[in-house]
């Protein structure tokens, strides 16, 4: 693509002030001879014609300019006040020593005149906001785009121009070629980009990486096309190296201008981006790690005023390059909010998970907030800011804040797949402006929808110059967003006192006689089943299953007899309680066990039916990692559950003499029943009916591949209770659920325990109707 084409008014504007102007800051002060104070602070910017524009802030030069309101009643009393004072003095018989008061007041004013006063300086709010943009950064583009691709490469040269043009149209930038409306009184001050030096690059990257990039400027186009195929998501041309120098140099000069307090804050509209570039290789559209290089330079140039730096990376991809650069640095706090998808989202791997918290001296200074899925929105990001980002930021107390501002989480960006609006970006910026006395720099990273990045960058820039963010429509975070943020806060709470809830002690599982509560509860359940119904544990002769499912499979003594048999696959019982508001500890006296399955087992045993109770624990021995809070590994858990279901079917269920066979599935565990229907030939021929309870887990269909009319059988022989708020009941669904999901019943309640309670009689009626017992016999059985 030709970077100088005229697509969407992509004017190079070589005469534009932004590409050539420089930034100069001066200060003057003087004290007049009469002792009154005069202070003038001057700052300036260079306009398109090279003239310096100055602004002065002046205090009064003599007492005549402003009279002191506190002295006015004494020096020039009004008639009314004099009459009032005389009346009060006469009534109280008190004489006012007016001469002594005037003398003391005169002495006080003389002392004020004699004191030395430092020249006043402008408020931070009066300082301008800066903008770094250089048209030459657009020259980095693809040499040989794939012929089968109709659109442009995501890292499109138009990205920075679209942002710059949006700022000009909004009147924030003085550019005669692009301004279409009224210019704001104090437009953005241009910050000239420069080439980063080799020594500056080598603060983050090794010399081999710098030399390699320099060598690309001497390669032929054919060599570069072949070379880019050896790298991860990178393209080269003969000016890529020069553009990368400008991008990193622009980030440096922008950060230096803010760190030295020449500017209030600033935005750097630069490319190529940098947060994926690692020490020894470019990757992910990134050549040099711009933000990391700028951070290192500022720490060297301003050791007293820029010692601690916070980097907030809201790009939808994890900034592996920045994390690598500062992983062991105690003076740089890196916080990344990104889509992780269990390590399957770019740049892939485990390094973006919440367990990577920094190394050695930097422990706790690396915070990853890894979204488990795409689709996150404004409320999720604000929830992360309110519960993790800002509490940690205040405790860290940085001297400079840099945003690695990728806008690929913006609504409309297809690569990111999230829904963050410009208003949300503005709110996040506004919160960060309260840190480091307002020293905030925004450096562009990713973002590949031209409209989304331009609107988002405009919202951020308007906030930088002092505009308040727009209102947000979405305020309720998703369940997955809340869970992720709380998980991060809990794990990071071991390093940050400000974070809650607190994580449990790391060595609690190593304590003598310490047991997981799910084991304790299952032992209690098993003992109750033995005592009440003489149930025994079925032995599992599989090395991988025997330990995990010890005491988890219980059966009545008659389960092999020629009687109806009910097999129940269920999730563990629910633990409900009121945790401590600070520590989040659950005390036993505030905790209850809700076991809805117990009533089903009691009823079936009283009817004389055989029962096999299969509890599917969320923690599987030898699988879960015991490191802080442990979430269930659903994939591995269900793989083990499917293996267990097949083992039970082949060794205990299919071989017995049961006259009627019923399966009940509760929660995620009901997948085991669907797996048997889909994969075990002849399974449905022995089964009389299935009943399932689905709360939050997705509906699972049966497959007609093995038996073409299996879905028809499943529809007629199932009773699937689906919670009140399940997505399947969404009124906007285009059509009714398929019969492959079985006979669906809309439950009036949510939560497995409540659903089990509400639908207990429905299940009993379903079973007895297929066994052949009439309703009168069932009623008498219930009464007895």
């Amino acid at each position: 693509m030709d970077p100088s084409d005229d697509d969407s008014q992509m004017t190079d504007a070589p005469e534009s002030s932004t590409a050539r102007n420089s930034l100069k800051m001066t200060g003057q002060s003087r004290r007049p001879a009469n002792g009154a104070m005069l202070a003038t602070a001057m700052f300036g910017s260079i306009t398109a014609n090279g003239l310096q524009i100055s602004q002065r802030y002046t205090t009064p030069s003599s007492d005549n300019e402003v009279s002191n309101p506190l002295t006015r009643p004494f020096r020039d009393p009004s008639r009314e006040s004099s009459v009032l004072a005389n009346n009060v003095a006469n009534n109280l018989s008190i004489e006012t020593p007016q001469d002594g008061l005037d003398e003391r007041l005169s002495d006080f004013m003389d002392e004020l005149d004699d004191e030395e006063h430092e020249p006043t300086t402008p408020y931070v709010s009066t300082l301008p906001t800066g903008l770094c943009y250089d048209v030459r950064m657009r020259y980095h583009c693809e040499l040989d785009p794939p012929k089968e691709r109709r659109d442009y490469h995501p890292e499109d040269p138009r990205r920075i121009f679209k942002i710059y043009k949006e700022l000009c149209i909004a009147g924030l930038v003085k550019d005669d070629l692009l301004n279409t409306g009224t210019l704001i009184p104090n437009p953005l001050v241009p910050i000239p980009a420069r080439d980063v030096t080799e020594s500056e690059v080598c603060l983050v990257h090794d010399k081999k990486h710098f030399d390699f990039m320099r060598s690309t400027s001497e390669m032929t186009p054919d060599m570069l096309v072949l070379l880019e195929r050896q790298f991860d998501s990178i393209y080269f041309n003969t000016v890529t190296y020069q553009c990368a120098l400008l991008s990193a140099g622009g980030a440096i000069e922008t950060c230096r201008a803010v760190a030295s307090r020449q500017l209030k804050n600033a935005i750097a509209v630069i490319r190529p981006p940098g947060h994926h570039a690692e020490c020894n290789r470019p990757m992910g559209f990134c050549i040099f790690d711009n933000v990391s290089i700028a951070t290192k330079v500022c720490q060297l140039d301003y050791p007293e005023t820029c010692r601690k730096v916070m980097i907030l990376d809201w790009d939808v991809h994890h900034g592996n390059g920045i994390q690598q650069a500062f992983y062991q640095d105690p003076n740089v706090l890196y916080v990344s909010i990104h889509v992780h998808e269990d390590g399957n989202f770019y740049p892939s791997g485990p390094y973006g998970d919440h367990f990577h918290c920094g190394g050695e001296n930097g422990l706790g200074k690396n915070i990853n907030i890894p979204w488990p899925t795409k689709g996150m929105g404004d409320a999720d990001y604000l929830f992360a800011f309110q519960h993790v980002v800002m509490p940690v930021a205040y405790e860290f107390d940085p001297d400079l804040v840099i945003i690695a501002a990728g806008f690929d989480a913006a609504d409309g960006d297809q690569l990111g797949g999230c829904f963050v609006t410009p208003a949300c970006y503005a709110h996040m910026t506004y919160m960060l402006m309260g840190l480091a006395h307002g020293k905030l720099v925004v450096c562009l990273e990713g973002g590949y929808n031209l409209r989304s990045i331009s609107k988002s960058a405009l919202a951020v820039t308007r906030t930088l110059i002092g505009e308040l963010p727009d209102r947000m429509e979405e305020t309720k975070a998703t369940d997955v967003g809340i869970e992720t943020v709380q998980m991060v806060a809990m794990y990071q709470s071991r390093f940050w006192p400000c974070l809650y809830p607190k994580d449990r002690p790391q060595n609690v599982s190593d304590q003598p006689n310490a047991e997981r509560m799910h084991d304790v509860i299952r032992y209690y359940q098993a003992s109750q089943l033995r005592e009440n119904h003489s149930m025994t544990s079925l032995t599992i002769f599989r090395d991988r299953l025997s330990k995990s499912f010890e005491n988890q499979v219980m059966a009545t003594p008659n389960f092999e007899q020629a009687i109806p048999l009910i097999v129940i696959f269920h999730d563990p019982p629910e633990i409900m309680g009121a945790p401590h508001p600070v520590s989040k500890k659950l005390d036993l006296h505030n905790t209850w066990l809700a076991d809805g399955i117990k009533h089903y087992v009691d009823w079936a045993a009283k009817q004389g039916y055989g029962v096999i109770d299969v509890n599917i624990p969320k923690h599987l021995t030898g699988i879960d990692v015991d490191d802080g809070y442990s979430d269930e590994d659903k994939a591995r858990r269900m793989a083990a559950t499917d293996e267990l279901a097949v083992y039970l079917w082949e060794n205990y269920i299919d071989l017995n003499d049961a006259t009627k066979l019923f399966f009940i599935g509760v929660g995620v565990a009901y997948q085991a029943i669907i797996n048997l229907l889909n994969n075990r030939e002849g399974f449905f021929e022995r089964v009389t009916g299935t009943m399932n309870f689905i709360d939050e887990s997705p509906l699972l269909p049966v497959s007609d591949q093995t038996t073409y009319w299996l879905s028809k059988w499943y529809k007629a022989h199932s009773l699937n209770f689906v919670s009140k708020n399940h997505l399947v009941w969404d009124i906007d669904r285009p059509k009714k659920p398929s019969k492959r999901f079985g006979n669906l019943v809309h439950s009036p309640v949510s939560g497995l325990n409540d659903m089990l309670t509400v639908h207990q009689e429905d299940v009993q009626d379903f079973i007895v109707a297929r066994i052949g017992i009439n309703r009168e016999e069932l009623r008498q059985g219930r009464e007895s």
Side-chain angles (χ1 to χ4, degrees):
M1 162 184 168
D2 182 5
S4 61
D5 62 13
D6 193 35
D7 182 49
S8 301
Q9 298 183 12
M10 290 178 54
T11 307
D12 284 351
E15 292 81 18
S16 170
S17 60
T18 313
R20 300 178 294 133
N21 293 343
S22 60
L23 178 68
K24 297 181 180 179
M25 305 292 167
T26 62
Q28 298 179 5
S29 65
R30 61 184 177 89
R31 177 178 172 80
N34 63 359
M37 181 175 63
L38 173 65
T40 303
M42 180 183 299
F43 65 86
S45 62
I46 307 301
T47 63
N49 57 9
L51 297 178
Q52 179 170 302
I53 299 176
S54 302
Q55 297 182 5
R56 292 179 178 271
Y57 299 83
T58 307
T59 57
S61 58
S62 70
D63 292 340
N64 295 329
E65 296 187 23
V66 177
S67 59
N68 190 332
L70 295 178
T71 64
R72 191 176 298 117
F74 299 99
R75 293 185 175 182
D76 186 24
S78 65
R79 179 178 181 277
E80 290 79 5
S81 62
S82 298
V83 172
L84 178 61
N86 290 334
N87 289 339
V88 172
N90 292 334
N91 291 333
L92 296 178
S93 300
I94 296 177
E95 295 183 0
T96 305
Q98 187 66 33
D99 294 340
L101 181 60
D102 290 341
E103 182 179 353
R104 289 194 299 272
L105 180 60
S106 178
D107 292 341
F108 173 73
M109 297 303 297
D110 291 339
E111 290 177 4
L112 287 179
D113 289 340
D114 293 338
E115 287 184 1
E116 294 290 334
H117 296 283
E118 293 294 329
T120 59
T121 57
Y123 288 106
V124 172
S125 60
T126 64
L127 292 174
T129 296
L131 166 68
C132 181
Y133 171 79
D134 195 307
V135 68
R136 292 173 293 173
M137 297 182 203
R138 287 173 47 201
Y139 298 157
H140 168 61
C141 59
E142 281 187 295
L143 286 174
D144 185 27
K147 301 299 185 293
E148 65 274 10
R149 195 180 71 212
R150 296 183 178 181
D151 55 351
Y152 294 106
H153 190 280
E155 214 290 276
D156 190 331
R158 294 178 296 175
R159 295 170 60 243
I160 59 172
F161 177 77
K162 287 290 187 181
I163 294 176
Y164 178 72
K165 181 182 177 182
E166 191 75 23
L167 299 180
C168 291
I169 294 175
L172 304 185
V173 180
K174 180 175 175 55
D175 189 313
D176 296 335
L177 295 177
L178 294 174
N179 288 136
T180 59
T182 304
L183 194 67
I184 64 172
N186 297 306
L188 302 179
V189 174
I191 305 172
R194 65 163 174 87
D195 288 353
V196 65
T197 66
E198 178 179 344
S199 60
E200 290 170 335
V201 171
C202 290
L203 292 173
V204 174
H205 301 278
D206 60 28
K207 189 176 185 305
K208 290 183 179 179
H209 176 61
F210 182 82
D211 292 340
F212 164 73
M213 287 309 308
R214 180 163 51 189
S215 69
T216 61
S217 62
E218 301 174 356
M219 295 182 184
T220 65
D222 291 339
M223 294 172 61
L224 291 170
V225 171
L226 292 175
L227 179 65
E228 66 187 37
R229 297 172 184 171
Q230 303 175 21
F231 287 88
D232 179 9
S233 303
I234 283 288
Y235 62 77
F236 300 105
N237 66 23
T238 55
V239 295
T240 293
Y241 167 69
Q242 185 62 39
C243 292
L245 294 180
L246 284 171
S247 185
I252 292 174
E253 288 306 304
T254 305
C255 290
R256 291 183 76 253
V258 174
S260 61
R261 196 42 102 193
Q262 298 179 70
L263 298 172
K264 174 176 59 178
N265 48 45
I267 180 171
V269 183
I270 54 178
R271 67 175 291 272
H275 73 147
H276 290 311
E278 296 186 343
C279 171
N280 57 357
R281 62 169 177 165
M283 61 179 290
F285 311 156
C286 302
I287 307 299
F288 296 137
D289 190 349
N290 305 321
V291 167
S292 296
I293 295 172
T295 300
K296 296 266 190 181
V297 171
C298 286
Q299 288 179 317
L300 289 176
D301 289 352
Y302 310 102
E304 299 299 326
T305 59
C306 193
R307 184 173 63 89
K308 296 194 299 181
V309 180
M310 174 184 176
I311 302 173
L312 188 282
D313 189 342
W314 66 39
D315 190 289
V316 79
H317 303 94
H318 177 240
N320 53 294
I322 302 178
Q323 174 169 300
Q324 182 190 71
F326 299 109
Y327 201 65
Q328 300 180 11
D329 192 331
N331 292 319
V332 177
L333 170 64
Y334 176 62
V335 184
S336 177
I337 310 176
H338 55 271
V339 174
H340 186 55
E341 291 186 344
D342 198 24
N344 295 313
F345 196 73
Y346 193 88
S348 303
Y351 305 107
D353 64 26
H354 72 285
F355 295 115
H356 284 75
C357 302
E360 298 181 3
N361 295 331
L363 196 60
K365 301 303 190 299
N366 193 92
I367 300 178
N368 288 323
I369 303 177
W371 302 133
T373 181
K374 295 181 180 181
M376 312 307 288
D378 289 356
D380 300 306
Y381 276 76
L382 282 191
F383 190 83
F385 258 67
Q386 293 165 347
H387 291 268
V388 175
V389 177
M390 295 311 297
V392 169
Y394 283 123
E395 185 173 332
F396 181 68
D397 191 20
D399 301 313
L400 175 68
V401 179
I402 304 175
I403 303 177
F407 293 109
D408 40 7
D411 188 9
D413 193 296
Q414 295 183 351
L415 281 184
C418 292
F419 303 102
V420 181
T421 66
C424 181
Y425 283 120
H427 277 274
M428 292 189 290
T429 303
Y430 187 78
M431 285 188 273
L432 293 173
M433 288 171 64
L435 303 168
H437 203 52
K439 293 182 179 179
L440 176 64
V441 177
V442 181
C443 290
L444 182 66
E445 291 289 349
Y448 309 106
N449 179 294
L450 299 181
R451 176 176 173 80
S452 297
I453 61 172
S454 58
K455 295 298 182 182
S456 300
L458 174 61
V460 168
T461 309
R462 286 171 54 90
T463 306
L464 291 177
I465 66 174
E467 291 293 310
L468 295 177
D470 291 336
R471 290 183 174 181
M472 290 175 46
E473 297 182 0
E474 179 186 345
T475 58
K476 183 181 183 301
T478 62
D479 290 344
V480 68
I482 295 173
E483 180 181 354
T484 301
V485 172
Q486 295 284 34
M487 176 182 64
V488 172
M490 184 183 299
Y491 195 80
Q492 287 282 347
S493 68
R494 61 185 70 178
F495 313 116
W496 300 95
C498 63
L499 291 182
Y500 295 92
K502 294 298 180 184
D503 197 8
R504 66 172 175 79
Q506 293 177 256
N507 61 344
V508 65
S509 59
D510 298 328
Q511 297 286 335
N513 302 320
E515 294 185 66
R516 286 186 180 266
M517 280 303 299
H518 84 120
D519 290 328
V520 174
I521 291 173
R522 187 55 183 174
Y523 292 149
Y524 163 77
Q525 288 179 308
S527 65
Q528 291 293 303
L529 293 174
R530 291 191 188 98
E531 180 179 347
N532 296 332
H533 308 297
S534 301
M535 298 179 72
T536 58
S537 178
L538 297 184
T539 304
I540 309 298
F541 291 104
R542 290 282 177 86
D543 292 339
R544 295 199 309 149
L545 298 176
S546 56
K547 183 62 178 177
S548 294
F549 291 99
E550 182 179 351
N551 289 319
Q552 307 293 349
V553 184
M554 305 289 293
T556 55
N558 61 348
F559 81 95
E560 293 182 300
Q561 298 178 9
I563 55 176
L565 174 64
I566 300 175
V567 182
I568 308 174
F569 284 86
H570 62 87
D571 290 351
E574 296 181 13
I575 302 295
M576 299 180 293
H580 188 276
V582 176
S583 66
K584 300 300 180 182
K585 291 181 179 178
L586 274 173
D587 294 320
L588 293 180
H589 65 279
N590 288 325
T591 308
W592 290 265
L593 175 68
D595 186 6
I597 296 297
K598 177 178 180 296
H599 302 292
Y600 287 75
V601 175
D602 291 344
W603 173 81
K606 288 180 181 179
Q607 305 304 314
Y609 305 153
V611 178
I612 297 179
D613 179 89
V614 186
N615 180 71
I616 307 298
K618 293 186 177 182
H619 173 87
L620 300 180
T621 303
I623 292 181
D624 290 46
V625 178
D626 189 17
D627 189 2
Y629 174 81
S630 297
D631 197 5
E632 63 173 307
D633 188 332
K634 293 182 180 180
R636 293 182 178 179
R637 177 190 179 208
M638 294 320 303
T641 302
D642 290 342
E643 185 177 354
L644 173 67
V646 171
Y647 181 89
L648 293 176
W649 174 257
E650 293 178 344
N651 292 277
Y652 289 105
I653 301 173
D654 191 31
L655 301 178
N656 68 20
D657 298 324
T659 56
K660 303 286 185 179
L661 184 57
F662 299 91
F663 279 84
I664 300 177
V666 181
V668 178
Y670 105 99
Q671 175 181 316
I673 301 172
I674 302 300
N675 183 60
L676 290 173
L677 278 170
N678 286 330
N679 300 306
R680 305 308 298 178
E681 186 176 355
F683 175 81
F684 73 94
E685 295 174 354
R686 283 215 58 193
V687 176
T688 309
T690 68
M691 295 137 285
N692 300 302
F693 293 83
I694 302 100
D695 183 20
E696 297 178 346
S697 55
L699 294 177
L700 300 175
V702 297
S703 172
D704 289 328
Q705 294 181 355
T706 55
T707 304
Y708 72 92
W709 48 270
L710 180 60
S711 59
K712 183 177 180 180
W713 176 93
Y714 186 48
K715 176 76 172 180
H717 294 79
S718 66
L719 201 59
N720 294 335
F721 303 99
V722 185
S723 67
K724 175 182 178 181
N725 299 321
H726 198 280
L727 292 177
V728 73
W729 307 123
D730 188 349
I731 60 175
D732 295 328
R733 289 181 63 91
K735 58 182 180 179
K736 294 182 179 180
S738 168
K739 63 181 179 181
R740 296 171 58 208
F741 294 118
N743 180 27
L744 302 183
V745 178
H746 194 168
S747 176
V749 297
S750 298
L752 291 176
N753 194 64
D754 289 341
M755 293 170 66
L756 287 167
T757 302
V758 169
H759 297 292
Q760 183 175 349
E761 290 191 7
D762 297 329
V763 171
Q764 293 173 3
D765 291 343
F766 182 86
I767 292 175
V768 299
R770 281 158 176 74
I771 292 176
I773 302 177
N774 60 43
R775 292 187 177 274
E776 181 61 25
E777 292 175 313
L778 175 62
R779 185 187 63 79
Q780 293 176 358
R782 286 174 180 164
E783 292 176 353
S784 64

